Amino acid sequence: MKYDFDKTVQRHGTNSYKWDGSDNPEMLPMWVADMDFRTSEPIIKALQERVSHGIFGYTRVPEAYYEAVTGWFSRRHGWNISKDWIIYTTGVVPALSAIIKALTAPGDKVLIQGPVYNCFYSSIRNNGCHVISNPLIYTGDTYKMDFEDLENRTADPEVKAMILCNPHNPAGRVWTEEELIRLGEICIKNGVTVISDEIHCELVFPEYRYIPFASISENFQKHSVTCVSASKSFNIAGLQIANIVCADEGLRKKIDKAININEVCDVNPFGVIATVAAYNESEEWLEQLIAYLKGNYDCMSEYCRKYLPDYPIAKLEGTYLVWMDCRKLHLASEELEERLKDEAALWLNAGSMYGPEGEGFMRWNIACPRSSLEQGLERFRRFIGQR
Ligand SMILES: Cc1ncc(COP(=O)(O)O)c(C=O)c1O
């Protein structure tokens, strides 16, 4: 089946965070990380069948769910997960929060690599811990890890865990095996558990390869916890379901307890059904989506090279989130976000939302029909031209 990602789907009036968050009907939202595409037909069909039943009581998670998750990761990514390692919960952010609760005591330190997904900061702080950044190094068109700094920071005995973002939002990196091995060895040597957020793992362009951190070795598996979900890649984030994969039984018990303390142990019937249909029946859709997103990124790169040479974008290896260096404008990111909204009806995310390292940058969500992306780029160009 051929999917049509060029088709514009009206999202106004669906209580969409992204589309219904502005009073301006002309606003083009390219911020919140969900996609403007309909999900795969098998997912839609499975949900329709469930809706037509008409009873939506409490749900249990069936064997078929675990088989879908373990089957997918084994088939597609060569990572063999045992069913017992999986704890389901209502999202990756609730998962991260529970894992931090299980691994730390208030006052401990947790490492992140800024600029990085904003909820990492809040999850750490909400558990009474301190955020310590091992900033990524910006090289002009991409980011790399600073291993020397990582060595120094992990040597602090108060650092108990590190949240890795693989692939990385918003830097667009899909970490290589070599990078992951170096990071893992440093963390393990210093007794720092790696919490690997792999929510974007399916959205990787063909030249790159996603490597599940825990799949690298038994030792890496033992000293890490992974969070995954079909939510980003199959555009079902509103159905709120995610999995924690933890091979170590002792740690898993602690995480399970934290999930219960936080009262995020029950999922809804739609999340379960959609996840099964995603992993069992939607690979064809995903392949076409990746090709389309790559086309969008190529289109944006070309446009930026031609018309916006002063605002370079970071190389995108995975995700649909493009990171643009707007420092030539000499505006704080937040002010730029507001002005773009007010003056150009274009809504991007301020880079400073992802930590101080993101100041002066903006994040574009390009998971939209190409015609919308072109409109967004035109609006940005006009805004620049008027200054
Ligand atoms: C790296 C990362 N983790 C987690 C999330 C959100 O996960 P959830 O909606 O499952 O809580 C996002 C959303 O953008 C993300 O980019």
Side-chain angles (χ1 to χ4, degrees):
M1 178 174 185
K2 174 93 177 72
Y3 288 95
D4 181 8
F5 295 100
D6 279 326
K7 187 168 173 234
T8 300
V9 181
Q10 178 61 253
R11 294 189 68 190
H12 281 299
T14 61
N15 295 328
S16 156
Y17 245 119
K18 190 175 174 185
W19 282 85
D20 289 326
S22 164
D23 294 336
N24 179 358
E26 297 307 316
M27 183 68 73
L28 182 58
M30 301 183 76
W31 62 303
V32 176
D34 66 22
M35 305 195 273
D36 294 335
F37 309 124
R38 272 164 69 85
T39 188
S40 75
E41 276 314 306
I43 295 177
I44 294 169
K45 189 161 162 278
L47 290 171
Q48 279 169 340
E49 276 171 17
R50 183 65 187 82
V51 166
S52 71
H53 182 253
I55 298 177
F56 311 113
Y58 297 116
T59 201
R60 64 182 273 279
V61 172
E63 198 59 34
Y65 176 86
Y66 293 100
E67 281 166 10
V69 175
T70 56
W72 173 267
F73 278 93
S74 164
R75 254 186 352 263
R76 194 160 168 98
H77 303 299
W79 182 26
N80 294 317
I81 303 170
S82 156
K83 176 199 159 184
D84 306 339
W85 302 350
I86 298 175
I87 302 173
Y88 57 79
T89 185
T90 52
V92 166
V93 173
L96 293 172
S97 177
I99 299 165
I100 293 167
K101 191 185 278 282
L103 282 170
T104 64
D108 283 343
K109 297 173 182 166
V110 179
L111 271 174
I112 48 104
Q113 294 178 306
V116 76
Y117 178 51
N118 50 305
C119 289
F120 288 4
Y121 297 86
S122 49
S123 286
I124 295 168
R125 293 189 180 123
N126 290 342
N127 280 292
C129 294
H130 302 289
V131 176
I132 305 293
S133 186
N134 159 230
L136 294 176
I137 299 170
Y138 182 58
T139 61
D141 70 344
T142 189
Y143 280 87
K144 61 179 190 178
M145 293 190 191
D146 184 344
F147 292 107
E148 207 178 305
D149 181 77
L150 183 65
E151 286 270 9
N152 294 333
R153 296 196 189 269
T154 47
D156 177 350
E158 287 182 356
V159 172
K160 296 288 162 40
M162 164 164 201
I163 312 182
L164 169 70
C165 195
N166 177 37
H168 192 100
N169 166 18
R173 284 295 320 276
V174 178
W175 303 114
T176 62
E177 186 162 21
E178 195 190 349
E179 287 168 316
L180 294 173
I181 289 175
R182 255 184 107 179
L183 178 140
E185 284 175 350
I186 294 170
C187 286
I188 291 170
K189 183 178 79 184
N190 290 290
V192 172
T193 304
V194 176
I195 307 168
S196 194
D197 178 339
E198 303 186 359
I199 195 170
H200 294 280
C201 71
E202 312 306 342
L203 301 171
V204 170
F205 293 157
E207 314 92 279
Y208 305 95
R209 195 171 141 234
Y210 152 66
I211 304 197
F213 180 84
S215 73
I216 290 175
S217 73
E218 277 218 4
N219 206 23
F220 276 37
Q221 190 160 279
K222 186 168 159 32
H223 292 95
S224 66
V225 186
T226 305
C227 301
V228 287
S229 173
S231 60
K232 288 284 155 199
S233 344
F234 296 93
N235 212 20
I236 52 173
L239 303 183
Q240 301 198 303
I241 189 162
N243 294 304
I244 297 168
V245 183
C246 178
D248 184 86
E249 194 185 349
L251 178 53
R252 200 166 60 239
K253 279 195 178 140
K254 284 193 202 162
I255 295 170
D256 202 33
K257 191 169 167 205
I259 289 280
N260 278 277
I261 292 171
N262 288 358
E263 315 278 14
V264 283
C265 43
D266 284 315
V267 288
N268 71 78
F270 304 112
V272 173
I273 279 170
T275 300
V276 174
Y279 288 150
N280 286 353
E281 298 177 81
S282 305
E283 197 158 10
E284 185 191 22
W285 180 89
L286 179 66
E287 293 297 353
Q288 292 176 31
L289 169 75
I290 292 169
Y292 192 85
L293 291 174
K294 174 78 169 70
N296 270 6
Y297 171 64
D298 289 344
C299 162
M300 183 168 182
S301 300
E302 190 53 30
Y303 190 97
C304 290
R305 241 192 320 274
K306 256 198 201 151
Y307 302 115
L308 301 166
D310 288 338
Y311 307 93
I313 56 173
K315 194 156 75 166
L316 195 68
E317 300 176 352
T319 83
Y320 46 73
L321 305 164
V322 180
W323 191 239
M324 180 183 261
D325 184 351
C326 298
R327 288 176 296 179
K328 280 249 168 79
L329 280 171
H330 300 290
L331 283 176
S333 295
E334 273 187 26
E335 188 186 343
L336 181 53
E337 177 178 332
E338 287 312 309
R339 289 193 51 186
L340 279 168
K341 278 199 278 185
D342 293 346
E343 297 168 32
L346 174 65
W347 196 341
L348 307 179
N349 280 116
S352 51
M353 193 174 156
Y354 308 94
E357 299 89 353
E359 187 52 88
F361 290 76
M362 298 301 282
R363 193 189 77 168
W364 292 68
N365 174 348
I366 61 163
C368 56
R370 200 149 306 152
S371 55
S372 295
L373 171 63
E374 284 162 356
Q375 249 189 63
L377 289 164
E378 290 292 330
R379 288 184 192 195
F380 188 85
R381 184 178 165 204
R382 230 175 299 132
F383 171 84
I384 300 293
Q386 279 162 4
R387 283 177 46 82

